[in-house]
Amino acid sequence: GLFFGGEAVKIKSINPYTEEINWTYDALSFGDCEDQIEKSIAAFSGWSSLSVEERITYIARAAGTLRQNRRVYAEIITKEMGKPIRQSLAEIEKCAWLCDYYAENAAEFLKDEIVETEAEKSYVTFEPLGVILGIMPWNFPFWQVFRFAVPTLIAGNVCLLKHASNVPGSALEIEKVFVEAGLPENVFKTLLIDPKTAMEIIDADLVDGVSLTGSVRAGSEIGELAGRVIKPFVLELGGSDPFIVLEDADIDRAAQVAVRARFLNTGQSCIAAKRFIVIEDIVVDFIEAFELHMQELKIGDPMDEETDIGPVAKKEFIENLEKILKDAKKKGAEPHIYGEEHSRGFFFRPTLIPAASTDMKALNMEVFGPIAPVVMAKDEDDAVKIANSTDFGLGAEIWSADLDRAEKLAKRIRSGFITINGRVKSDPRLPFGGTKKSGIGRELSYYGLKEFVNIKTVVINK
């Protein structure tokens, strides 16, 4: 086990608004995890032998559990990571929708595919792999987990969850959702462990696949470990999504959506618009419209239904964001800062950097917080060049009244997801994931359902 001066590792949940401790738990040791994995392997034989239709009934029930206890779960999210309560409620609703979607479509997605060959019969069948470890982040503490777990479970695998260490309450509550939905014991299990233990589990070849949503650094470390033991993995990593506004766009609508796309979840989203690339003819108008909509944001107590922006999730994030602003100022920026100071809570005030240059940290690293840099482009070619000048390729937005032009431009942007005249948001019906350093593999849709299966070919001759 992990003992420091005789103390087991503690996992603490801190309310970012009140700065008080919500809950404290003891972390499990590697030995505890080995015992759990044995139980999970035993549970796999029963769970995987059920038909897809039987497994679906449990997932459909989970949707009901989510809706029934929506308020309870939403309040836990807000207490643990500071998301405005309205957004937490929407997150739970979205998890229920995901369950509905797979309950309705998974049987069709997973049925055998008949292929005509010279043989008597040939087909492709999709069989579960076993125990899949999900390493999930705190920013959408329910959604990220459900997005990984639901397709993985429906395919017949069993899940282990290592959640971010600042949301242990959400992690345990998610396990309860599945227990209440009647899932057999040990089919979905939360492990309260630190990152080192999670890495030991993979390294010891105890699991059959790994899904990670997190930073590029975490992704490359986990990918390396999984590669060493030849296990499949899905990596959903960071983003620095470009939001391109062409001169023929509806500027006010673009600015209104831009504010939502940047400041949702207090700017702590991998698919938040992070770089506003605006054609120079309209940059002044865009900034003016953006500032108007930014001023309407209500900042404060995340438990208040009216709040749009709460505190950031952890104290150390404030320091990181301040460094990014300092760097921008050093390079000539004059940031516009909104909202009043708060004497308590991990608040960082929403900030606009009106004339950002591409050498600023605000544009060349992933900024996880409410900072919005606007960068000017000469024309659409310049906009594409700026948009692609990043290691990331998760989402992107293009705004233009000419849909043909926008669609042609979309082909030139290197990203896993692109929205024209709208905000990038994940949808159970559409595959979600990135290119370049934003990740490997896909979640959601039928693509996500087939990440942790053995695609088995069967050929039958007379």
Side-chain angles (χ1 to χ4, degrees), residues 24 50 52 74 79 85 92 114 178 187 204 206 216 218 226 228 241 270 275-276 283 287 347 359 382-383 411 435:
T24 307
L50 297 178
V52 180
K79 272 187 193 138
I85 188 72
I92 300 301
I114 306 291
F178 288 116
V187 169
L206 296 176
V216 174
R228 207 180 298 154
D241 291 9
C270 47
R275 297 175 296 141
F276 298 93
V283 78
I287 287 173
F347 282 94
D359 62 342
D382 192 30
K411 285 188 166 53
T435 182

Side-chain angles (χ1 to χ4, degrees), residues 321-337 348-349 351-357 359-362 371:
L321 293 164
E322 272 162 4
K323 275 187 197 138
I324 289 163
L325 268 198
K326 211 186 207 150
D327 166 81
K329 283 181 189 157
K330 206 173 75 195
K331 292 169 183 165
E334 293 176 21
H336 300 190
I337 298 170
F348 188 88
R349 294 187 293 164
T351 303
L352 173 71
I353 302 176
S357 55
D359 62 342
M360 292 176 184
K361 282 181 178 166
I371 296 176

Side-chain angles (χ1 to χ4, degrees), residues 372-392:
V374 176
V375 61
M376 219 155 61
K378 288 193 287 294
D379 51 32
E380 65 173 59
D381 289 340
D382 192 30
V384 169
K385 201 177 103 209
I386 297 167
N388 287 336
S389 69
T390 169
D391 287 342
F392 294 109

Side-chain angles (χ1 to χ4, degrees), residues 59-80:
I59 299 303
R61 247 181 271 159
T65 304
L66 284 163
R67 290 192 173 106
Q68 210 178 324
N69 307 326
R70 203 180 83 156
R71 188 86 210 174
V72 178
Y73 304 141
E75 287 184 4
I76 289 171
I77 292 175
T78 297
K79 272 187 193 138
E80 290 205 295

